[in-house]
Amino acid sequence: MCPQSELDLEIVRTILGESKIHNADITLREDVTAEDLIDVVEGNRVYIPAIYVLNKIDQISIEELDIIYKIPHCVPISAHHKWNFDDLLEKMWEYLNLTRIYTKPKGQLPDYQSPVVLKSQATTVENFCLKIHKNLLKDFKHALVWGSSVKHQPQRVGKEHVLNDEDVVQIVKKV
């Protein structure tokens, strides 16, 4: 059990009593607030990540911009001048928890225009193949991978290899 800065035994009993739970074993693995406990007990709230996009940074000073950059979950932009759109795009990829994997046909350059997008929890070569076509795994021999997930460029990997964001993959099929 983790030491609690806000909750004590009486607060927990009160919260559980309001939900008509009078006999329960509670294990808190992190420091939580009363609101966190209520959310878990009721089970009807879902929190989603949010990004605050602050526009019109072209009308403020550098000092004010430095203060804005320290605000969590915030991206300052200027829509008029198209400033800082790259930061916004990177933050969106990060918050959506997605991974971009680029394809490379044999004998050609990688296609950096249309990546295969995978959820970050499922970024194996097998998931990559299934995203392209379900029959691709039947003829799968190995894959050549370029990027941060491998030591050598390219490296031959199997279907259980975990890919990183912006890796390049070439699938080699059985003959």
Side-chain angles (χ1 to χ4, degrees):
M1 182 155 159
C2 179
Q4 300 297 309
S5 60
E6 186 176 315
L7 291 180
D8 62 13
L9 188 59
E10 283 306 310
I11 294 174
V12 172
R13 280 187 182 149
T14 305
I15 292 170
L16 294 176
E18 289 176 7
S19 299
K20 296 184 173 48
I21 300 174
H22 302 290
N23 187 10
D25 289 330
I26 305 293
T27 303
L28 301 173
R29 292 187 181 12
E30 60 184 65
D31 189 16
V32 298
T33 63
E35 288 82 17
D36 294 336
L37 183 60
I38 292 168
D39 294 348
V40 169
V41 170
E42 291 182 3
N44 61 355
R45 289 180 180 85
V46 177
Y47 292 95
I48 57 173
I51 300 173
Y52 302 106
V53 180
L54 303 179
N55 195 15
K56 300 189 185 243
I57 61 168
D58 53 329
Q59 298 178 0
I60 61 174
S61 68
I62 298 295
E63 292 81 17
E64 292 170 322
L65 188 58
D66 287 338
I67 293 169
I68 288 173
Y69 262 110
K70 294 176 184 173
I71 300 171
H73 317 292
C74 178
V75 179
I77 67 163
S78 172
H80 179 70
H81 294 290
K82 297 186 169 110
W83 291 347
N84 214 21
F85 282 6
D86 292 339
D87 277 359
L88 176 60
L89 190 60
E90 283 302 315
K91 186 77 85 169
M92 288 169 61
W93 278 104
E94 176 188 330
Y95 274 56
L96 289 171
N97 210 13
L98 298 173
T99 303
R100 296 161 285 199
I101 308 296
Y102 299 104
T103 57
K104 182 189 178 308
K106 186 175 182 179
Q108 298 178 22
L109 293 173
D111 179 15
Y112 291 112
Q113 298 303 313
S114 53
V116 176
V117 178
L118 300 172
K119 293 181 181 176
S120 291
Q121 299 84 4
T123 58
T124 62
V125 173
E126 182 177 5
N127 297 120
F128 173 76
C129 291
L130 289 172
K131 186 79 171 189
I132 295 173
H133 196 279
K134 64 181 179 182
N135 290 336
L136 194 55
L137 274 179
K138 291 179 186 173
D139 298 330
F140 180 85
K141 184 175 180 184
H142 64 270
L144 296 173
V145 177
W146 292 259
S148 61
S149 69
V150 293
K151 291 181 183 177
H152 309 288
Q153 308 294 327
Q155 185 168 334
R156 187 174 147 171
V157 299
K159 53 184 161 184
E160 63 281 340
H161 177 75
V162 178
L163 300 165
N164 289 346
D165 191 32
E166 297 187 343
D167 277 358
V168 177
V169 177
Q170 178 180 335
I171 303 297
V172 179
K173 295 176 11 176
K174 295 176 190 170
V175 179

